[in-house]
Amino acid sequence: MDSQDIAQETPPENVFNAPSIHQDELIRGISYTHHTSTPDIIKNDLSRECVLGVDEAGRGPVLGIDPIHWENVDQADNAPAGPMVYGVFYLPMEQHRSLLAEKHHFDDSKVLTPQVRSNLMQALCTSGTDLHESCGWATRVMSARDISSAMLKPAGTYNLNAQAMDATIDLIKEIFAQGVNISQIYVDTIGKAELYQKKLERIFPTVMITVCPKADSLYPCVSAASVCAKVTRDAALNVCYQSTRLLDAQAIAPNSIADAWGSGYPSDARAITWLKENMDPLFGWGNECRFSWSTAKNMLETKGNSIRIDWPDVNDDEHARRMTDFYIIKPSTNTEEDESEDELAAWYGKPVAESIF
């Protein structure tokens, strides 16, 4: 990721705090969905044909890799911090280009600066504006904790492509459930566009569906969905960062997420520095970090003084073991430490039988 891409992915200091920011769920690492009310112009005439766009934020490729190759991108190439957000955006078909592209200049996400995206999102959420009166949108915030736990399952991992597809399908189904007459859907692809499109066509057979790379530069509704997703993620990252600052009142940390996490990508020195300086040897980091990403995994397993834990097999009959038996302490290079007892074992104490005999 070059410096321009890093700047595009770094949240602005005064990002708009949209209604899609559910602070309690974000701090607790819980995934959630937010829907706006169906606009009256659509609700009062459910036969009106609408167009819907889909895009995401927080998974994007780095090093200039095209989105069609996402399934082959190493996890280290993706943002290890914060949630991934999927956004859907819909409006009457006759207003698709006139309102979004011609009047408000929704465009390729790389053309719109973070501050411009924030301003557009604020207009979408402000009662009385033409965007608010004609457009509806929804976001699915997939927490870093839930993404990682799904990808680190011991059997049958739930990979990121599958999680993203399911989030997209659920959001579209929920819009249909509101009675909105969606006749066209445009999606910025994940994985192979043709396979993804065929899957969506099987689920929504009556809708004209287009899945392609760079859809946000071709279809204004996808660009608008991108704005909803990216601004939600920017504000969500800020909530996560501020919560980490409050955990340690004595810590000296930058007030701005831009000065601390930066974009959250491993190619961003600010992100890597923060991970190194804030890694707990036992728990790693909080809900803001994706532990399944190789950046975090390698840092925990090979760097610092992290503690490895060997979890028992749940089918193993040998349950009569102490918790400290599962801690594997790294060999020390300090002679004095070599002669001392296991710190955790000494703290918990020795079994009675061992002390006597």
Side-chain angles (χ1 to χ4, degrees):
M1 176 180 284
D2 59 29
S3 57
Q4 182 179 358
D5 289 332
I6 288 176
Q8 285 282 354
E9 296 296 335
T10 301
E13 292 187 12
N14 55 341
V15 62
F16 174 66
N17 217 25
S20 51
I21 296 302
H22 299 187
Q23 186 165 318
D24 184 57
E25 284 91 339
L26 286 168
I27 292 174
R28 292 163 59 196
I30 298 173
S31 300
Y32 66 89
T33 301
H34 175 85
H35 281 268
T36 63
S37 299
T38 305
D40 288 339
I41 191 175
I42 297 174
K43 189 187 303 181
N44 296 335
D45 182 9
L46 292 178
S47 65
R48 185 188 294 267
E49 291 188 344
C50 295
V51 60
L52 181 144
V54 183
D55 204 359
E56 56 74 38
R59 178 206 167 118
V62 297
L63 304 177
I65 300 175
D66 190 87
I68 199 168
H69 297 300
W70 273 348
E71 73 273 17
N72 298 320
V73 177
D74 188 273
Q75 292 169 356
D77 288 336
N78 289 282
M84 180 168 73
V85 182
Y86 259 82
V88 297
F89 187 98
Y90 61 95
L91 78 164
M93 189 176 299
E94 67 270 16
Q95 293 181 297
H96 183 202
R97 295 194 178 274
S98 61
L99 179 63
L100 297 183
E102 296 171 11
K103 185 172 183 179
H104 291 283
H105 309 293
F106 282 88
D107 203 341
D108 184 343
S109 59
K110 291 189 179 300
V111 174
L112 303 177
T113 66
Q115 192 57 59
V116 169
R117 294 196 301 256
S118 182
N119 294 341
L120 287 171
M121 186 66 160
Q122 186 167 2
L124 278 168
C125 299
T126 301
S127 180
T129 65
D130 51 2
L131 288 172
H132 183 271
E133 298 303 314
S134 299
C135 308
W137 54 276
T139 54
R140 174 64 179 171
V141 176
M142 302 163 64
S143 73
R145 186 188 70 175
D146 288 347
I147 290 172
S148 294
S149 63
M151 295 182 69
L152 291 173
K153 287 182 178 179
T157 58
Y158 186 21
N159 68 42
L160 198 61
N161 274 355
Q163 293 183 56
M165 286 185 183
D166 288 346
T168 298
I169 292 166
D170 288 344
L171 284 170
I172 297 173
K173 285 181 176 179
E174 289 160 7
I175 299 299
F176 272 111
Q178 295 177 12
V180 181
N181 180 21
I182 303 296
S183 60
Q184 296 180 13
I185 295 176
Y186 298 96
V187 184
D188 198 39
T189 190
I190 53 174
K192 295 182 178 179
E194 61 275 15
L195 296 180
Y196 191 13
Q197 181 166 320
K198 287 180 181 178
K199 180 174 182 176
L200 291 176
E201 288 172 340
R202 287 195 299 269
I203 299 172
F204 307 105
T206 63
V207 183
M208 189 196 84
I209 298 175
T210 301
V211 179
C212 65
K214 306 295 184 183
D216 60 342
S217 64
L218 301 173
Y219 307 103
C221 61
V222 179
S223 176
S226 175
V227 166
C228 294
K230 287 182 180 297
V231 175
T232 296
R233 175 173 153 81
D234 285 348
L237 281 173
N238 190 56
V239 169
C240 292
Y241 175 66
Q242 296 303 332
S243 70
T244 64
R245 292 182 68 243
L246 294 175
L247 289 177
D248 187 356
Q250 303 302 319
I252 300 176
N255 291 325
S256 167
I257 185 174
D259 295 329
W261 289 356
S263 64
Y265 284 75
S267 55
D268 190 335
R270 295 168 296 182
I272 296 301
T273 298
W274 187 90
L275 287 171
K276 290 178 179 178
E277 293 179 349
N278 292 273
M279 184 181 76
D280 183 272
L282 179 57
F283 298 106
W285 303 273
N287 292 326
E288 72 282 350
C289 185
R290 301 179 191 176
F291 287 80
S292 57
W293 263 230
S294 58
T295 303
K297 288 167 65 177
N298 292 341
M299 200 171 290
L300 276 171
E301 293 174 359
T302 64
K303 299 177 182 179
N305 296 314
S306 57
I307 300 172
R308 180 183 170 189
I309 300 178
D310 184 15
W311 296 103
D313 187 342
V314 293
N315 299 317
D316 192 351
D317 292 333
E318 296 181 6
H319 296 298
R321 300 178 67 184
R322 298 176 301 166
M323 179 180 288
T324 53
D325 291 340
F326 301 115
Y327 288 84
I328 302 175
I329 307 300
K330 291 182 177 179
S332 173
T333 56
N334 190 315
T335 305
E336 294 181 2
E337 290 181 1
D338 290 340
E339 296 174 354
S340 64
E341 293 183 279
D342 179 337
E343 182 181 350
L344 284 170
W347 189 85
Y348 279 106
K350 296 180 179 180
V352 174
E354 183 178 333
S355 301
I356 297 176
F357 301 106

